[in-house]
Amino acid sequence: MRRPLIPIPSRLPVDGYILALVGTVALAALLPARGPAATVADGASTGAVALLFFLYGARLSTREAMAGLRHWRLHLTVLACTFAVFPLLGLAARGLVPYVLPPALYTGLLFLCLVPSTVQSSIAFTSLARGNVAAAICAGSFSSIVGIVATPLLAGLVLHSGGAGLSADSLLSIACQLLLPFVAGQLLRRWIGTFITRHKKALGYVDRGSILLVVYTAFSAGMVQGIWHQVSPLRLLCLLGVEAVLLTLMLTGTAYGSKKLGFPREDRIAIIFAGSKKSLAAGLPMASVLFGPQAGLAVLPLMLFHQMQLMVCAVLAKRYAAGTGMGAKPEVGAGRAAGRDTGSEAAASGVPR
């Protein structure tokens, strides 16, 4: 029997949490929150966003982040990919409106290009591919920190035509729901860090539940306002095609760009996975603050892109681990050591970021 030219993975990484998100969207479509229930859901969602960023701040080890500064060239490269190259590609996609993408989906696509990189999934894929896991941890952490400020500011610059600019109320909401809880978590980490670490699994469920609440509130508002009638199945297929091109450009650009910049193989792997991915866990609550009732369509491109990047990067990580696709085969011992050192980090909370 002839072997297939392209090896097919035995199990595609269809994230169980994505299934929960899809179920939440379906619930919002069938039973959207209306009237007083919508007011309660909106208030609970606001509190959930603040709690999420408080936990992000409490989890982040300032000592580990400062120790990672020695890889400043790598971190600057990842930040440039996340907050410069991605947004430029998003702006270039403006030419697809309205022929390929309707304005509402394009706004969501552009927002996708502005959110920070992932943390857990970048670490997991870098470890699987036997790359520089310590660099991936720091790169993801730095991207999350910078994104709390950079994403809203970039949104104010490039999304103003879509009504998502930074008004005084938006700035106040960002400060109260994102920045202040994050800073409070950092300041209180000295006293609650041990508790956070000890109850990491339980708090992971808090993260997941909070994000599901944010999604339900956003999509409920969209259903009540009838915004879903603006999108046809053909437009969704076009969106998937555009996102596939976007992911291909970023994966190719990070691979060849990091090689041209002279990074060793292990660092290039970290750059590829941290520089080409976007955070669902950070993007969803940010969208609820920036877009308000219009957040439903705005987060749809991010949700689709998240699952796409998981599936593609899982295949790439297996190829890199086998020594194909990036030149010379790495030392097996080094890869195993990296996996041992970071196995707990990769499963820090279970939230797809």
Side-chain angles (χ1 to χ4, degrees):
M1 181 177 179
R2 297 179 61 184
R3 298 180 62 184
L5 295 178
I6 301 176
I8 301 175
S10 58
R11 177 180 177 271
L12 289 178
V14 179
D15 196 330
Y17 193 65
I18 289 293
L19 297 180
L21 287 170
V22 172
T24 302
V25 172
L27 177 63
L30 295 174
L31 299 171
R34 302 175 184 271
T39 303
V40 172
D42 186 63
S45 176
T46 299
V49 170
L51 176 61
L52 275 172
F53 279 85
F54 174 80
L55 292 175
Y56 291 164
R59 287 193 185 105
L60 178 63
S61 172
T62 307
R63 181 181 302 175
E64 290 180 3
M66 295 303 294
L69 287 176
R70 64 180 182 273
H71 297 293
W72 63 270
R73 287 183 65 242
L74 184 149
H75 302 319
L76 285 180
T77 301
V78 172
L79 290 175
C81 293
T82 303
F83 297 113
V85 179
F86 252 118
L88 288 175
L89 290 175
L91 290 172
R94 181 68 177 82
L96 301 175
V97 180
Y99 308 104
V100 178
L101 296 177
L105 284 185
Y106 170 71
T107 299
L109 179 71
L110 188 52
F111 173 72
L112 149 71
C113 294
L114 305 180
V115 302
S117 179
T118 62
V119 181
Q120 275 89 359
S121 56
S122 291
I123 295 169
F125 287 133
T126 301
S127 177
L128 177 61
R130 298 172 181 173
N132 188 339
V133 183
I137 294 172
C138 293
S141 300
F142 289 151
S143 180
S144 297
I145 296 172
V146 173
I148 293 175
V149 177
T151 296
L153 290 180
L154 288 172
L157 290 174
V158 304
L159 294 177
H160 60 280
S161 60
L166 286 182
S167 63
D169 290 340
S170 297
L171 287 173
L172 182 61
S173 295
I174 291 167
C176 293
Q177 290 184 248
L178 307 184
L179 292 177
L180 289 182
F182 181 85
V183 173
Q186 273 285 282
L187 294 176
L188 294 176
R189 176 179 168 79
R190 176 179 178 183
W191 293 280
I192 66 174
T194 303
F195 175 86
I196 294 291
T197 302
R198 187 166 58 246
H199 298 86
K200 182 167 50 181
K201 184 175 181 180
L203 291 175
Y205 289 114
V206 173
D207 280 358
R208 290 169 176 240
S210 298
I211 293 173
L212 291 176
L213 177 59
V214 169
V215 171
Y216 175 76
T217 304
F219 278 79
S220 286
M223 287 298 301
V224 172
Q225 296 178 8
I227 62 175
W228 296 109
H229 297 296
Q230 305 172 20
V231 183
S232 65
L234 179 59
R235 294 289 193 174
L236 288 178
L237 288 176
C238 291
L239 174 62
L240 286 172
V242 171
E243 291 190 337
V245 172
L246 177 64
L247 181 59
T248 300
L249 289 175
M250 289 306 303
L251 287 170
T252 304
T254 51
Y256 284 96
S258 59
K259 186 175 183 179
K260 290 294 184 181
L261 290 173
F263 286 100
R265 184 183 189 277
E266 290 76 12
D267 287 354
R268 279 157 39 209
I269 290 174
I271 291 171
I272 289 170
F273 289 123
S276 64
K277 297 165 91 270
K278 290 295 183 176
S279 173
L280 183 70
L284 288 178
M286 285 182 178
S288 71
V289 177
L290 292 171
F291 295 98
Q294 286 76 40
L297 277 181
V299 301
L300 183 60
L302 178 60
M303 293 173 63
L304 295 176
F305 187 83
H306 174 80
Q307 182 60 26
M308 184 183 297
Q309 71 185 11
L310 285 181
M311 298 176 71
V312 173
C313 289
V315 175
L316 284 178
K318 292 176 182 178
R319 289 189 62 198
Y320 295 160
T324 60
M326 291 195 69
K329 189 173 182 178
E331 294 182 9
V332 175
R336 289 175 178 169
R340 285 195 303 268
D341 292 341
T342 59
S344 59
E345 291 287 349
S349 69
V351 179
R353 304 173 100 178

